[in-house]
Every structure is written in structure tokens, then in C-alpha cells.
Amino acid sequence: MADDCIFCKIIAGDIPCNKIGENDDFLCFLDIKPITDGHALIVPKKHFKDVMEFPKELDEGYFAFCQEMAKKIVGTVKADGFNLGMNNGRAAGQIIFHQHTHLIPRFDDDKLESWPHKEITLEELGELQERILKS
Ligand code: 5GP
Ligand code: ZN
């Protein structure tokens, strides 16, 4: 548990949340400022700053739990799809530094735009590919 972490406090029961699922390793609760109805956060009960600290041994259980929660939430709010997403680092929009996955129900008519794409030449793509492969 990290002393200054709001999600650790939620997991410990020191701060209330709208819990919708739980097992030994993970907790799922509704986001306090939802993007759509049913927007939920899935968190490991142990404190990890972001996905880079997340241990391999929890991988399988985490995705199984995400699938379980997606089925329940999507069924309840009758969503047409859902996004599963993680913000890692301040530049990516992370504001709570306890690793979490957003489960955001999506609806055919929700009018939410996804990220804008940019144009890139095939040459630039190839250069990027080389740099990443060499790193
Ligand atoms: P991030 O931007 O770090 O990926 O997302 C953090 C999310 O946590 C935000 O969507 C925000 O609304 C949510 N959040 C922040 N504080 C609380 C809280 O005290 N309770 C709940 N349920 N959600 C919170
Ligand atoms: Zn924490």
C-alpha cells in the first residue's frame, strides 16, 4: 500500500467506492467521472505505479477479470462495444499513479471521437521501424 495513493485507500476500504466486482487480486469499481454509463476502473489490489511495474504472474488473471467485468457491464448497460485502455505517464493522461484499466462502454450513437490520426510517409514509417528495431 502506498500512503499517498487514493486507489490504495479505496482498496483498503478507507475511501468509499461503487464496487462492482472483486477477487483476491483485483477490484473493479465505477469511475467517479464517467465518460459513458458503466465506465469502470479495474485495479490490482497491490500498488504498482503503471503497467511497466505490473508483474507477469498477474497477467492472465487480470485479463480474465477484465473479460468477466466487461461481460457484466456491457450486458447491464446494453453497450454496443467497449474500450479497454490504460494511461501510462502524465503525458498520456495518467492522473492516478496506481495502475488501472479503464473499461468504457461504447454505444453506436455516443458520438465520442477517437484520437485523430496524422499523415506519415512510407519513408518516415520505415525510419521509425528501424529506430525501434535497433533500440
Ligand atoms: P487516469 O487519468 O489516471 O487514467 O484515470 C483516473 C480515473 O480515476 C479518472 O477517470 C477519474 O475520474 C477516476 N477517479 C479519480 N479519483 C477517483 C475516486 O476517488 N473514485 C473513483 N471512483 N474514481 C476516481
Ligand atoms: Zn496505490
Side-chain angles (χ1 to χ4, degrees):
M1 167 150 180
D3 288 343
D4 57 348
C5 173
I6 194 160
F7 285 1
C8 280
K9 291 192 173 100
I10 286 176
I11 291 157
D14 297 338
I15 292 179
C17 74
N18 295 94
K19 179 165 73 177
I20 51 173
E22 175 174 37
N23 65 21
D24 287 348
D25 296 319
F26 310 113
L27 176 69
C28 180
F29 54 94
L30 294 173
D31 195 294
I32 206 163
K33 282 191 184 168
I35 293 173
T36 59
D37 286 348
H39 179 179
L41 301 170
I42 298 168
V43 302
K45 288 186 175 177
K46 282 194 195 139
H47 182 89
F48 306 109
K49 174 168 65 80
D50 58 26
V51 74
M52 301 308 276
E53 287 190 352
F54 190 73
K56 261 197 168 29
E57 57 271 20
L58 287 180
D59 273 359
E60 201 178 320
Y62 198 51
F63 279 99
F65 186 67
C66 288
Q67 287 172 329
E68 192 187 314
M69 292 316 305
K71 203 170 167 191
K72 277 173 83 83
I73 296 168
V74 164
T76 303
V77 301
K78 301 198 175 5
D80 301 303
F82 64 93
N83 294 112
L84 263 191
M86 247 182 239
N87 300 327
N88 290 279
R90 228 172 277 282
Q94 186 175 13
I95 52 169
I96 306 284
F97 288 83
H98 178 127
Q99 195 249 315
H100 55 278
T101 299
H102 293 260
L103 198 164
I104 305 165
R106 297 298 305 273
F107 303 88
D108 288 339
D109 60 354
D110 66 27
K111 296 193 174 63
L112 290 169
E113 300 283 336
S114 56
W115 292 312
H117 291 251
K118 59 177 260 179
E119 298 297 330
I120 190 166
T121 63
L122 287 178
E123 194 185 355
E124 286 168 325
L125 268 185
E127 279 168 15
L128 263 178
Q129 178 191 15
E130 284 303 314
R131 280 169 55 203
I132 295 166
L133 284 172
K134 278 188 199 143
S135 69

